[in-house]
Amino acid sequence: MLELRGTSCLEMNDFNEPRKRIMTSRSFGRPTSQIYDLQGAIRQHAQRGAEKLREQKSLARAVLVFLKTDRFRPDLPQYSPSLAVEMERPSQDTRDILYAAQEALRKIYRPKYGYKKAGVMLIGLTDENRQQLSLMDTPQTEEERQRSQKLMATMDALNEKMGKGTVRLGLPKKNAPWHLRCANRSPRYTTNWDELMKVYTDEGAARRDKTSTNLYNRQ
């Protein structure tokens, strides 16, 4: 009744409020049981999560990795593990996050299962300007922290200028099982030059048909 009278009963969400956790995951194009395929997927998710972490100027205390088999295939053995690995100190460095993610994957991986999905979640987020330093920190530790921030800032700047994924740690394997299947994808008219719609005038269409006919006759 209050809403019908113009009184809102739900608070508006603050879209600028930093997220409390960041998750990146995706289902695979086809199942896989190979550890190197899972490592490639986890590496991609961890790097994307680290980029999102830096975008909102946060640090993560731990990295959680999870795997899932195909739950729509009850005839196959099922296994859906997850494990969180705490980092030595809160970080937004892609290298630290990758190391923790790969360690978690190594501990939960079992070779006899066909995995259909994998993901990485960054948890224990805190503002980078409110980082609680350790009593064990040294001048060398602060120097390493500054060097890490400069390196990550350079990577993000290059990827923003040259395109996402231009600079990354490790090259993804071509035709890896975790790549999405895009056979039925609609043309990307607004984001890919090679897939722009082609428009012909009547004269241009006639010329094109004539060219195609000549090529066919030559064959």
Side-chain angles (χ1 to χ4, degrees):
M1 292 297 293
L2 292 177
E3 290 184 341
L4 293 176
R5 296 172 182 171
T7 302
S8 176
C9 297
L10 296 175
E11 296 181 0
M12 294 292 292
N13 293 326
D14 185 357
F15 294 103
N16 295 322
E17 183 180 355
R19 286 170 286 184
K20 297 180 179 179
R21 59 175 60 92
I22 294 175
M23 185 178 75
T24 53
S25 66
R26 182 169 290 176
S27 297
F28 299 163
R30 62 182 189 275
T32 181
S33 60
Q34 302 299 321
I35 182 64
Y36 51 80
D37 289 331
L38 297 174
Q39 288 173 339
I42 293 299
R43 183 167 57 245
Q44 292 294 104
H45 294 323
Q47 292 190 72
R48 182 57 186 140
E51 292 173 356
K52 293 181 179 180
L53 188 68
R54 293 192 291 272
E55 285 177 3
Q56 71 172 35
K57 301 185 183 304
S58 297
L59 305 172
R61 294 189 178 93
V63 180
L64 182 144
V65 172
F66 66 87
L67 303 173
K68 291 183 181 294
T69 50
D70 192 347
R71 61 189 180 91
F72 298 105
R73 292 291 306 275
D75 56 311
L76 299 178
Q78 300 294 313
Y79 179 54
S80 300
S82 64
L83 179 66
V85 172
E86 187 174 355
M87 292 184 285
E88 183 178 352
R89 63 176 65 88
S91 176
Q92 59 179 205
D93 192 311
T94 300
R95 297 169 298 175
D96 296 336
I97 294 171
L98 271 177
Y99 181 83
Q102 296 293 352
E103 182 181 356
L105 174 63
R106 180 178 58 81
K107 291 181 178 180
I108 63 177
Y109 168 73
R110 300 292 182 272
K112 65 178 181 178
Y113 297 98
Y115 300 98
K116 185 66 175 177
K117 186 175 184 179
V120 174
M121 182 183 296
L122 306 181
I123 55 181
L125 306 190
T126 182
D127 192 294
E128 66 177 3
N129 296 321
R130 299 178 181 177
Q131 180 180 3
Q132 184 174 358
L133 303 179
S134 170
L135 294 176
M136 304 301 293
D137 282 354
T138 63
Q140 289 77 15
T141 304
E142 178 60 25
E143 184 178 348
E144 292 175 1
R145 187 180 296 109
Q146 295 293 334
R147 187 161 54 244
S148 168
Q149 291 177 351
K150 291 180 181 179
L151 176 60
M152 294 300 107
T154 301
M155 287 180 57
D156 293 340
L158 288 172
N159 286 329
E160 182 177 358
K161 181 178 180 180
M162 307 300 294
K164 186 182 299 183
T166 301
V167 180
R168 53 192 167 184
L169 304 181
L171 292 176
K173 178 183 175 182
K174 291 184 178 180
N175 301 320
W178 51 269
H179 286 304
L180 287 177
R181 291 179 294 183
C182 302
N184 299 320
R185 183 185 63 196
S186 300
R188 296 167 291 181
Y189 298 127
T190 60
T191 59
N192 192 312
W193 285 103
D194 297 329
E195 298 180 15
L196 286 174
M197 297 182 67
K198 295 179 175 61
V199 180
Y200 299 93
T201 63
D202 292 341
E203 180 181 354
R207 188 184 303 112
R208 183 189 57 169
D209 294 339
K210 182 178 180 180
T211 302
S212 300
T213 303
N214 292 336
L215 291 175
Y216 178 79
N217 292 335
R218 289 178 185 177
Q219 295 176 355

